[in-house]
Amino acid sequence: MSNEISKFQDPGLPAHQHRKSDHDPKAEKRAEQQVAILFLLSAISTVGTVASYIFIKPGKFVFLPIMGDVDAQQLFLGLGLAFSLLFIGFGAVQWARRLMPDEEVIAERHEFRSEDADRKDFVDTVKERAGTVGLGRRSLIKRSLGLALGLVGITPLVMLRDLGPLPKKQLETTSWAAGTRLVTDPGDRPLRPEDLEVGSVAQVLPFLAQGEERTLENIGKDAVLLIRLRPEEFQLDSKRLSWTHDGIIAFSKICSHMGCAVALYEQQTKHLLCPCHQSTFDVTRAAKVIFGPAARPLPQLAITVDSEGYLVAQQGFTEPIGPSFWERSS
Amino acid sequence: MKKSEKIAGNVANYVDERTGAAKWLKKNLTKVFPDHWSFMLGEVALYSFIILLFSGTFLTFWFDPSQRDVVYNGSYTPLADVKMSAAYASALHISFDVRGGLLMRQIHHWAALLFMAAMIAHLMRIFFTGAFRKPREANWLIGVGLVTLGIVEGFLGYSLPDDLLSGTGIRIAEAILQAIPVVGSYLAFFAFGGAFPGHVFIPRIYTVHVLLLPGIFLALITVHLMLVWYQKHTQYPGPGRTEKNVVGYPLMPVYMAKAGGFFFIVFGVTALLGAVASINPIWLYGPYTPGQISAGSQPDFYMGWLDGLVRMSPPLETHAFGHTISWNILIPGLIVPGILFTGMALYPFIESWMTGDKREHHLLDRPRNNPNRTALGAMSLAFMLVILINGGNDLIATHFHLTINQIMWFTRIAVFVVPPIVFVITKRLCLSLQRADREIVLHGRETGRLVMMPNGEFVEVHEELSAEKKFTLTQHEQPQALEVPTTDRSGVRNPQGIKGKLRARMSQAHVEQVPAPSQEEAKALEGGHH
């Protein structure tokens, strides 16, 4: 078998091969000119860049294959910049390849480990210096310093406290309450059951009183999806069925997995799909999860109509909407 | 003396009289760097970082990192009079009303993708050639830190414009925070200054994106490069190259010209991409609102694997004692990535432990000559690739007319099945390549020339390899497996217990090799049929 003695010997660095430009003055001249031309091309490109900036009006489009219509000003600015940079790069690399010395050189490398004597010296020095401090003897100082250093890190943590308020019950509540009218988003128009055709979907939000502002925080909790099916298509227990009205069922639009808007409704299969992680919910079975990573159905909002015939909530959501959190009890 | 020489002399004199730098500079300007295309990957990462600093600074001159409500009245008419955040409006302003603004946004985004891609390619080069071995473990750790921070920095960067797509990404990040047991809701409320989305998150991540993380990057990159400089670059094995030397070109002038030129080429390529290839067209997405979303929501590629992992997770949640733990978020979002990155960071120490190898290494391994490590790397890549595919399952489904369910189930199974298969195949492949090396060293290269012998027999002429080539193919070490001590001096059986057995088993797997041919074998053959 092979061992160290019989290994193939290192023949050493192969002999250097000279380039044509090393000994032929004509080739050398040619290489020099090539490099210069590349640098000049860069200069010309910069002139083109500046010209594009000044002379091409915004809003003009040119067609590029695959890319489609591209704004002419951005395109020529970019091309000018690209070529002015690329040609400097090509020139420099060509210069190095053709004209600079290309003979490989050897540098020695040394093991990093210091001489044993130096290492011992170092250890002795450390021991001696440490000895003058006498940490080993002064355990009172050592311990109190440890305590101080351990505690000092608390300050920056405490000072971050005012980054935000405590969550309190905010994750568990929405603006929906008994009798809140469902209004369209966008438009804020109240809805009657007959506004929704069988098979259609609408995004709704709670009615907003005069002078109130709708915030993104509210939309992030209140967004609800209305879907109208034929009443016989539901496979619900009697309680959940009583939460629907004439084939209209309402779910929180905020995904119970990670809070994306569950916006894709497949009319044929009556499935709701979240575009973020593909959790799929069956509308006919109270948004039961039938595929994907979501672990809970979308919370259902109980709805009915008020005396004027507009859709309203029977009550607020009976569970927190959106993604899970530690304090969530179900 | 020419005028330019005189000026150079004066400058050198000025500097040296104040710093005594002449000696150091003389030594370092002639410092030798080995030449290989794969050593440029780290350079690409470094240069794209510089491009990010330039293009990013340009963007800050117009970007308004604020979530205050404004009504858009810029020149992009489809969004005229739409209520949006100042951040989104200013990103639109940069794209449509600042000359070269869209170009810079696209250069910045392309450079970010290049930064991540180059770092990952560089990391793979380091891994597969064993460049992380002693004395370079610290630089490996810094590199793993840079990749990790790069993912965070990239995510924060594309979150800043506050468009519908990036807002959805922030919503997911908030859900991950919220899922952390005990403190999750508090962390989320502190990060967002109240309920999601709030008005403070964009300004806060802006500071982190343009100040804190770039500062950390600069510090880490500086140390990374200083260590490369001080420890000298590794080199591939070959004639004249040993553990005791560095063979290559001097910094001045060859390396300066090549590296400097290469910076311009990388910058030029990102500018070219920014000019012709549209990326992240935020005006198509509209402003963020939590009630809306667009189909095919996708993060950038360096986040895609994480998203794919979240997508394939089974629907597991625990509800007990009035509390909820979302395993479907914690496992794919925090636990698995944590294990992956910790394992990657610790790998140099694990390998050194299982091989018992504590020596310095400056000559790189050819990946085939370390089959176990190469197979481990290929296995990890296969894992990442499978989960990355699932991160794009919706797009794959629409492009290839498959159902999402098929792709999801395929990747859910493949993520367990494919990596081990890739491990075995890669290891066998490496050993076969070693066998092929052995073959051509002993029998020469096939020339394709057929010769008819006097007896009518046809033989192919084999050409003997050059001494250089033979050395390159046979110089690698033939490591021995560690032995487990079965009994110690006092006769106790298996003194190191399970740990010792495991170590020996791993070491045995790690040293599996085809023996490199020796000169004796070559000589024996010469006397034979050749």
Side-chain angles (χ1 to χ4, degrees):
Chain A
M1 288 314 293
S2 65
N3 54 49
E4 288 298 320
I5 304 154
S6 65
K7 269 196 150 179
F8 284 85
Q9 291 303 307
D10 182 356
L13 271 188
H16 180 63
Q17 306 268 336
H18 281 284
R19 296 163 298 189
K20 210 173 171 196
S21 52
D22 286 337
H23 47 72
D24 180 357
K26 265 194 199 154
E28 191 187 344
K29 195 81 201 156
R30 234 183 359 257
E32 195 181 335
Q33 282 164 352
Q34 278 177 1
V35 174
I37 287 172
L38 288 167
F39 287 149
L40 283 176
L41 282 173
S42 162
I44 293 169
S45 305
T46 300
V47 174
T49 314
V50 176
S52 315
Y53 191 89
I54 299 171
F55 296 115
I56 302 180
K57 294 281 163 276
K60 285 214 166 59
F61 289 88
V62 278
F63 179 78
L64 281 188
I66 306 169
M67 307 295 172
D69 283 331
V70 182
D71 183 278
Q73 192 191 49
Q74 306 275 359
L75 175 67
F76 285 104
L77 266 180
L79 289 178
L81 178 63
F83 287 119
S84 60
L85 294 166
L86 283 173
F87 283 125
I88 292 180
F90 294 154
V93 171
Q94 189 70 352
W95 187 5
R97 282 164 44 107
R98 300 287 297 275
L99 293 168
M100 290 180 187
D102 74 331
E103 200 152 357
E104 285 192 308
V105 289
I106 301 176
E108 293 304 311
R109 199 197 283 276
H110 308 283
E111 207 189 5
F112 288 107
R113 196 180 195 279
S114 308
E115 298 290 328
D116 284 344
D118 290 335
R119 287 157 62 97
K120 192 174 168 302
D121 267 2
F122 166 71
V123 173
D124 290 345
T125 310
V126 172
K127 271 190 186 152
E128 187 208 318
R129 299 289 133 172
T132 61
V133 181
L135 260 190
R137 283 179 291 123
R138 306 194 203 283
S139 63
L140 183 63
I141 290 187
K142 199 161 70 179
R143 282 182 197 158
S144 53
L145 177 65
L147 177 75
L149 287 177
L151 287 182
V152 83
I154 291 178
T155 310
L157 281 182
V158 169
M159 302 226 318
L160 287 175
R161 165 64 192 86
D162 276 349
L163 276 174
L166 296 181
K168 304 238 167 66
K169 291 280 161 200
Q170 280 198 65
L171 285 172
E172 290 156 47
T173 53
T174 68
S175 316
W176 293 101
T180 310
R181 273 191 184 160
L182 283 60
V183 298
T184 58
D185 174 37
D188 282 331
R189 279 177 294 103
L191 275 172
R192 292 170 184 280
E194 52 271 30
D195 295 336
L196 275 178
E197 309 240 352
V198 170
S200 68
V201 190
Q203 172 168 313
V204 294
L205 289 169
F207 176 76
L208 203 62
Q210 279 281 314
E212 275 182 48
E213 186 98 38
R214 200 183 295 287
T215 63
L216 291 183
E217 293 78 57
N218 286 338
I219 297 175
K221 292 198 291 185
D222 296 342
V224 160
L225 214 52
L226 280 186
I227 301 151
R228 183 158 197 177
L229 306 178
R230 279 189 298 277
E232 64 271 21
E233 286 170 326
F234 287 126
Q235 301 170 41
L236 302 172
D237 59 33
S238 56
K239 185 178 104 185
R240 288 307 185 98
L241 197 60
S242 72
W243 286 6
T244 68
H245 178 82
D246 203 13
I248 303 176
I249 191 163
F251 296 110
S252 165
K253 197 183 177 184
I254 309 303
C255 189
S256 60
H257 178 222
M258 295 182 105
C260 294
V262 186
L264 298 179
Y265 176 59
E266 296 176 336
Q267 209 178 28
Q268 295 296 314
T269 53
K270 298 170 185 62
H271 292 166
L272 272 171
L273 183 102
C274 178
C276 284
H277 304 105
Q278 285 86 47
S279 296
T280 311
F281 306 90
D282 185 353
V283 172
T284 63
R285 286 183 287 169
K288 184 180 162 180
V289 184
I290 53 169
F291 191 72
R296 287 177 287 107
L298 299 170
Q300 187 184 345
L301 182 70
I303 54 167
T304 182
V305 289
D306 63 11
S307 53
E308 293 172 57
Y310 289 112
L311 287 167
V312 293
Q314 291 182 26
Q315 57 186 16
F317 279 107
T318 56
E319 57 178 315
I321 63 96
S324 299
F325 49 96
W326 174 251
E327 294 85 357
R328 200 193 142 95
S329 56
S330 60
Chain B
M1 203 191 285
K2 275 191 277 178
K3 200 178 166 208
S4 59
E5 278 175 16
K6 203 175 159 197
I7 294 173
N10 283 341
V11 172
N13 184 46
Y14 187 92
V15 173
D16 186 54
E17 283 183 351
R18 280 155 185 83
T19 59
K23 199 177 154 200
W24 186 87
L25 279 172
K26 190 222 135 223
K27 190 174 146 222
N28 282 289
L29 284 176
T30 55
K31 194 174 179 71
V32 170
F33 283 92
D35 211 25
H36 190 269
W37 67 267
S38 69
F39 299 162
M40 297 198 305
L41 298 168
E43 275 184 69
V44 177
L46 173 67
Y47 300 151
S48 35
F49 178 70
I50 297 169
I51 297 164
L52 286 166
L53 289 183
F54 287 152
S55 54
T57 305
F58 182 89
L59 296 175
T60 60
F61 295 155
W62 290 275
F63 182 66
D64 177 5
S66 154
Q67 279 172 292
R68 122 189 92 82
D69 289 333
V70 296
V71 174
Y72 181 68
N73 56 7
S75 58
Y76 183 66
T77 44
L79 287 175
D81 300 326
V82 172
K83 206 170 96 171
M84 57 181 62
S85 68
Y88 185 57
S90 64
L92 290 175
H93 177 74
I94 292 172
S95 307
F96 293 104
D97 298 299
V98 175
R99 278 183 278 181
L102 176 63
L103 175 70
M104 277 298 165
R105 259 198 60 223
Q106 301 199 139
I107 290 179
H108 195 66
H109 204 132
W110 277 116
L113 294 185
L114 189 64
F115 181 50
M116 289 308 301
M119 278 202 289
I120 293 164
H122 177 53
L123 186 144
M124 278 157 57
R125 199 281 290 171
I126 299 290
F127 181 85
F128 285 114
T129 60
F132 54 78
R133 290 172 296 174
K134 186 180 170 186
R136 295 183 177 77
E137 303 95 327
N139 241 6
W140 169 264
L141 288 177
I142 293 175
V144 171
L146 284 167
V147 171
T148 316
L149 287 180
I151 295 174
V152 177
E153 179 74 341
F155 173 75
L156 296 184
Y158 73 66
S159 293
L160 282 174
D162 203 23
D163 57 281
L164 187 56
L165 180 62
S166 71
T168 303
I170 298 178
R171 171 81 248 211
I172 294 170
E174 194 267 354
I176 295 180
L177 269 185
Q178 203 175 296
I180 297 172
V182 188
V183 292
S185 337
Y186 292 86
L187 289 181
F189 266 65
F190 290 164
F192 286 80
F196 175 84
H199 283 84
V200 297
F201 194 66
I202 298 282
R204 283 177 183 174
I205 63 173
Y206 181 69
T207 312
V208 177
H209 180 76
V210 305
L211 179 69
L212 183 63
L213 286 179
I216 297 175
F217 270 115
L218 266 179
L220 288 179
I221 291 174
T222 308
V223 178
H224 200 68
L225 293 179
M226 278 166 64
L227 278 170
V228 170
W229 196 279
Y230 182 68
Q231 296 180 330
K232 299 199 176 83
H233 209 287
T234 51
Q235 57 189 351
Y236 282 96
R241 286 152 170 83
T242 69
E243 292 282 8
K244 297 273 173 213
N245 70 11
V246 194
V247 182
Y249 298 105
L251 177 72
M252 189 169 163
V254 181
Y255 225 79
M256 274 182 176
K258 277 193 176 176
F262 193 48
F263 165 73
F264 283 96
I265 293 175
V266 173
F267 203 163
V269 168
T270 54
L272 196 63
L273 282 168
V276 301
S278 163
I279 186 164
N280 199 20
I282 49 160
W283 55 91
L284 297 180
Y285 308 141
Y288 179 64
T289 155
Q292 284 170 13
I293 196 160
S294 55
S297 292
Q298 292 280 328
D300 276 348
F301 83 91
Y302 47 85
M303 293 284 286
W305 59 276
L306 189 58
D307 205 45
L309 210 52
V310 174
R311 287 177 188 204
M312 71 169 61
S313 163
L316 288 174
E317 261 187 12
T318 314
H319 305 278
F321 311 109
H323 292 293
T324 299
I325 301 176
S326 300
W327 300 109
N328 53 353
I329 297 176
L330 288 173
I331 293 175
L334 293 171
I335 297 173
V336 174
I339 293 172
L340 285 175
F341 277 78
T342 311
M344 184 158 76
L346 294 181
Y347 184 76
F349 309 100
I350 297 171
E351 187 182 296
S352 152
W353 173 74
M354 67 188 184
T355 56
D357 185 352
K358 310 287 179 210
R359 296 164 303 160
E360 276 184 22
H361 291 277
H362 304 288
L363 272 184
L364 297 171
D365 280 329
R366 297 168 78 222
R368 71 184 61 175
N369 289 336
N370 201 319
N372 209 56
R373 181 202 297 144
T374 305
L376 269 173
M379 179 174 89
S380 318
L381 282 180
F383 176 84
M384 292 306 259
L385 205 64
V386 169
I387 58 179
L388 181 63
I389 286 173
N390 197 49
N393 59 2
D394 43 352
L395 296 187
I396 295 172
T398 50
H399 280 76
F400 296 99
H401 305 285
L402 296 163
T403 71
I404 280 176
N405 312 40
Q406 287 165 339
I407 301 165
M408 192 94 93
W409 273 111
F410 168 75
T411 52
R412 273 177 178 176
I413 296 166
V415 80
F416 292 104
V417 175
V418 171
I421 295 178
V422 168
F423 179 89
V424 173
I425 292 180
T426 312
K427 193 159 179 179
R428 292 298 115 193
L429 217 58
C430 286
L431 292 170
S432 296
L433 285 168
Q434 288 187 9
R435 237 169 258 129
D437 281 350
R438 189 182 153 81
E439 170 73 21
I440 84 167
V441 168
L442 291 178
H443 300 279
R445 188 174 63 87
E446 291 173 3
T447 57
R449 232 172 50 238
L450 291 180
V451 174
M452 194 168 94
M453 306 298 275
N455 60 3
E457 182 195 355
F458 284 95
V459 290
E460 187 181 1
V461 179
H462 284 235
E463 191 178 36
E464 198 185 339
L465 295 185
S466 66
E468 283 85 11
K469 187 86 188 165
K470 274 187 192 165
F471 172 70
T472 307
L473 297 184
T474 56
Q475 50 70 40
H476 55 282
E477 289 188 325
Q478 304 285 305
Q480 301 293 314
L482 293 175
E483 305 267 338
V484 233
T486 41
T487 47
D488 70 3
R489 259 171 305 171
S490 41
V492 179
R493 276 184 60 229
N494 191 16
Q496 289 172 1
I498 293 277
K499 211 172 126 194
K501 268 192 185 165
L502 179 73
R503 186 178 177 201
R505 181 73 197 81
M506 283 162 89
S507 145
Q508 209 174 30
H510 206 83
V511 299
E512 198 174 336
Q513 291 269 27
V514 173
S518 63
Q519 281 182 312
E520 283 77 13
E521 283 174 285
K523 281 212 186 79
L525 277 169
E526 260 167 43
H529 67 268
H530 274 285

